[in-house]
Amino acid sequence: MSEIKVELTRRAALLGAGGALAGASLAGSGAALAAAEPQGALPAAAARYTVGGFEVTTLHDGAVALQDPQKTFAMNVDADTFSAANAENFLPDDGFQISFTPTLVNTGTELVLFDTGNGEGARPGRGTMRAALENAGYSPEQVDVVVLTHMHPDHIGGLMEGGAPTFANARYVTGQKEYDFWAAMDPEANGVTKLLAKNVKPLAEKTSFLADGGSVAGGITAMAANGHTPGHMIYMIESDGKQLVLAADTANHYVWSLAHPEWEVRFDMDKAAAAATRKSVFGMLASDKIPFVGYHMPFPAVGYVETRGDGFHYVPASYQLQL
């Protein structure tokens, strides 16, 4: 093996010697360098992207760490199969973290918010969407439209703040099928119906109800994606020839729901329909190379999918939507 030659300039050598002498002097004097104080929680995060003439901002509503992932994901596979998939993807078997990411779309004429996060009752660990919105340069009063992809509590929890509507000047949009399913139940039937009665029904007079293909605003179109809930909706964002899909809860984990779309998820109400929707939606995204925002993808929650075997592989976005 050839010898590696290292050359030092006279100045570098002197500086190096001086640094060594200074270090020896401090060590010998007994002087202690002050430890840096912990800084605590960071401000609620936001990330910004461009889709044609639209500005898209993902807003971190926080995250939660949970144990026993197979009580939630991969419920229909054996533990060895699950463990092998985890090993391939550097994931632990005994715990996981799930994020929550509402999305703000500025069309140039309207400010449209998709889902509202967990809300004030989940703080401090979650419910930070409002703080993220403000850190992104907006106030809740500036939001023109609030779109609810479905009625699960982590999507409708932020509609109210201190007993009053968080977005005082907004109109609201949601799927007709989704709203009708939950609204027909006894308000005390479950956690969803209780929160629906508190947060969604008081806004009904300001709410428009869509079916598949309905328009929220110019360039924003509803797409039925049933299975997770009976009326779960996703949205196609289009501007100046560019596209982005807001995929909501079509996939709830970047490995367990994408690489293995047939693995069952506890929160999917119709598990067969949810699996079929994952295959259809992510098959389209992979084929057309369309980026997407996944509500539960790791923040900032924007990426692509490629077909891999019988499933899909998640590719986090880097700078593609920031040029």
Side-chain angles (χ1 to χ4, degrees):
M1 183 172 67
S2 61
E3 181 181 357
I4 299 175
K5 185 177 181 181
V6 178
E7 294 183 353
L8 292 176
T9 65
R10 182 173 182 272
R11 183 173 182 272
L14 288 172
L15 287 172
L21 288 172
S25 176
L26 284 172
S29 69
L33 298 177
E37 291 294 326
Q39 298 301 303
L42 289 167
R48 187 156 287 153
Y49 304 88
T50 299
V51 179
F54 292 175
E55 190 174 76
V56 176
T57 306
T58 56
L59 307 168
H60 198 213
D61 191 60
V64 61
L66 300 170
Q67 302 300 310
D68 300 318
Q70 269 206 283
K71 290 183 178 179
T72 301
F73 294 97
M75 297 174 67
N76 57 332
V77 302
D78 61 83
D80 289 343
T81 300
F82 183 65
S83 184
N86 292 340
E88 291 175 1
N89 291 279
F90 308 97
L91 295 172
D93 289 340
D94 57 354
F96 68 102
Q97 178 175 284
I98 189 165
S99 292
F100 308 89
T101 308
T103 299
L104 190 69
V105 178
N106 188 340
T107 69
T109 57
E110 289 187 300
L111 198 59
V112 185
L113 176 67
F114 291 83
D115 294 322
T116 67
N118 291 272
E120 59 189 348
R123 293 175 189 147
R126 289 166 282 163
T128 57
M129 181 277 302
R130 178 172 177 153
L133 178 73
E134 292 171 348
N135 288 336
Y138 296 105
S139 69
E141 291 75 22
Q142 288 179 285
V143 174
D144 298 296
V145 188
V146 175
V147 181
L148 304 174
T149 61
H150 61 294
M151 298 297 163
H152 279 170
D154 55 320
H155 295 256
I156 67 174
L159 282 168
M160 295 287 175
E161 186 83 19
T166 303
F167 309 99
N169 300 314
R171 62 183 176 91
Y172 301 84
V173 178
T174 195
Q176 184 77 64
K177 182 178 180 180
E178 179 75 358
Y179 180 84
D180 289 349
F181 175 83
W182 297 106
M185 293 186 184
D186 182 335
E188 296 297 315
N190 53 58
V192 177
T193 57
K194 289 177 181 178
L195 195 57
L196 184 87
K198 177 184 175 184
N199 281 12
V200 181
K201 286 186 176 180
L203 304 170
E205 291 185 359
K206 299 178 70 176
T207 302
S208 299
F209 299 95
L210 297 181
D212 183 31
S215 176
V216 173
I220 303 177
T221 306
M223 301 167 63
N226 302 336
H228 182 63
T229 61
H232 180 259
M233 286 276 205
I234 63 176
Y235 290 85
M236 176 67 80
I237 309 299
E238 299 181 271
S239 174
D240 297 339
K242 303 295 184 181
Q243 295 179 313
L244 172 78
V245 168
L246 302 181
D249 283 17
T250 305
N252 286 335
H253 192 275
Y254 73 104
V255 173
W256 302 326
S257 294
L258 283 176
H260 307 281
E262 293 185 346
W263 284 8
E264 292 181 355
V265 181
R266 177 163 61 96
F267 298 114
D268 289 341
M269 296 178 68
D270 184 331
K271 292 174 173 49
T277 292
R278 281 192 284 276
K279 292 178 181 179
S280 174
V281 169
F282 292 108
M284 175 195 71
L285 296 180
S287 176
D288 296 342
K289 300 186 184 301
I290 299 172
F292 78 102
V293 179
Y295 194 78
H296 296 298
M297 295 297 105
F299 191 80
V302 180
Y304 299 81
V305 287
E306 61 180 3
T307 301
R308 184 172 292 184
D310 295 328
F312 307 95
H313 175 67
Y314 181 59
V315 181
S318 55
Y319 54 76
Q320 299 97 325
L321 302 179
Q322 295 172 330
L323 296 175

